[in-house]
Amino acid sequence: MWLSEIMLQQTTVAAVAPRFAAFLARFPTVEALAAAPWEEVARAWAGLGYYARARNLHAAAKVVAEQGRFPEDAAGLRALPGVGDYTASAIAAIAFGRPEVPVDGNVERVVARLFAVEEPLPGAKPRLRALARRLGEEEAAKARPGDFAQALFDLGATVCTPRRPACTLCPCRVSCAGHRAGVAESLPRKAEKGLRPQRFGVVFWLEDAAGRVLLRRRPPAGLLGGMLELPGTPWREVRWGEAEAHEYAPAPVRWSNAGAVRHVFTHFALDLAVRVGRVERIGEALAVPRDEVLGAGLPGVMAKAAKAALSAAAVAEEAWVRASA
């Protein structure tokens, strides 16, 4: 359950389902995950996004393996890397029968409508959590906390939906203040979002005569920490000029324009210009055969850039051959 909760954070069930089975097949136990090198974990996670989850999952596995068991209460679970209030409450309630009420988006929506909470999100979150805890104090909820938590999840996912909630089918409609007031569908209210910040970067696909492509590993901390990438510039708020971008190029070669890709992260959008170039031989150890790059464990944004580079490199192949003839 711990793995599924981590994988499903900010990712859809449709995207997670096949990856969950593959991840379990590769790391069938907590001990196996703890013993695996980070590079293997990163490869298994590639494409799921929010890569800090994978780093924390790996770190938490090491803690659990060292302790010899999972903590069974929310406080102990929160002490594990990457386990926040929601995940700790969900595991404690569903796996260990502890009287906790995990609050995700579905539960927030149910509670906001039950109590007709007009305050917009995210400011309303503390009040919604407090009201959810009040629901969890009822005798039926305390008797079966795991079932109660999952019932709230399912109510929000299938009946108390964001649009057109099926109030006539809802077992809570008699006690729902939002339904009585005729405002259920408009709750929870949300504060207006500002414009998403924009950033720019340039990446370089450097290939040698043997068909190997240069990759590098990002620093362990920060966005996409520890993941593989194409070498390139930092990401900033203004576009890069060609001359200044080439200062970050991995080799002083003639670079061809392979277009650009766009990727939207949670807090900003990124436009990456892609350049392709060729050298006779790449001396660095982290060079991957061209046809293995997309399977090397690149995060989503770098996989997009690699696909653009592959298309451009195929077109440029004739020019490279003519130049060396």
Side-chain angles (χ1 to χ4, degrees):
M1 181 191 170
W2 164 58
L3 175 62
S4 66
E5 286 294 339
I6 299 299
M7 278 192 162
L8 285 167
Q9 290 172 5
Q10 298 177 296
T11 309
T12 64
V13 172
V16 164
R19 304 298 298 279
F20 178 81
F23 199 93
L24 272 184
R26 173 60 188 85
F27 310 109
T29 65
V30 173
E31 291 75 18
L33 179 58
W38 161 248
E39 291 77 13
E40 289 189 32
V41 178
R43 181 191 292 264
W45 195 273
L48 279 173
Y50 302 97
Y51 296 96
R53 295 180 300 167
R55 295 196 299 273
N56 287 328
L57 188 77
H58 194 212
K62 293 181 179 181
V63 173
V64 172
E66 184 177 339
Q67 293 177 347
R69 60 190 293 273
F70 263 98
E72 294 187 8
D73 61 8
L77 288 160
R78 275 193 294 270
L80 295 176
V83 177
D85 288 339
Y86 163 76
T87 303
S89 295
I91 296 173
I94 299 170
F96 299 113
R98 299 302 176 99
E100 299 282 343
V101 182
V103 180
D104 66 353
N106 283 325
V107 175
E108 283 182 343
R109 184 167 58 257
V110 169
V111 172
R113 290 170 175 174
L114 277 174
F115 294 94
V117 176
E118 296 278 355
E119 181 184 359
L121 293 169
K125 284 181 177 289
R127 186 182 176 199
L128 295 176
R129 285 195 294 269
L131 291 170
R133 284 195 296 271
R134 185 196 298 181
L135 292 175
E137 291 169 1
E138 297 179 6
E139 288 304 316
K142 290 199 299 185
R144 298 167 61 183
D147 289 341
F148 179 72
Q150 293 183 86
L152 281 178
F153 297 158
D154 289 345
L155 185 65
T158 63
V159 177
C160 196
T161 51
R163 294 195 178 109
R164 298 182 181 176
C167 295
T168 56
L169 302 177
C170 181
C172 302
R173 67 183 181 278
V174 174
S175 57
C176 179
H179 175 62
R180 288 198 304 272
V183 296
E185 187 170 356
S186 67
L187 299 175
R189 306 200 190 285
K190 296 181 181 179
E192 291 187 12
K193 292 183 178 180
L195 293 176
R196 194 186 301 270
Q198 176 71 54
R199 295 184 187 174
F200 302 91
V202 181
V203 292
F204 299 93
W205 172 282
L206 183 65
E207 187 173 329
D208 67 11
R212 299 185 309 155
V213 177
L214 178 64
L215 300 178
R216 70 181 180 189
R217 193 166 295 279
R218 291 177 66 85
L223 187 63
L224 306 183
M227 302 299 292
L228 290 174
E229 68 173 0
L230 297 174
T233 67
W235 303 342
R236 68 183 193 184
E237 295 178 355
V238 295
R239 294 186 185 276
W240 289 85
E242 287 297 318
E244 58 177 345
H246 287 177
E247 295 179 10
Y248 293 89
V253 302
R254 176 176 294 178
W255 294 101
S256 300
N257 185 353
V261 297
R262 182 174 178 81
H263 193 82
V264 179
F265 293 97
T266 303
H267 300 297
F268 66 93
L270 174 66
D271 283 354
L272 276 184
V274 183
R275 302 291 181 260
V276 296
R278 182 167 171 140
V279 292
E280 186 60 30
R281 181 175 181 276
I282 295 174
E284 287 84 348
L286 195 50
V288 177
R290 179 200 291 187
D291 59 1
E292 296 179 14
V293 170
L294 293 179
L298 294 175
V301 60
M302 290 298 158
K304 289 179 183 179
K307 289 175 183 177
L310 277 166
S311 297
V315 174
E317 183 74 25
E318 290 186 18
W320 288 338
V321 171
R322 287 197 301 271
S324 60

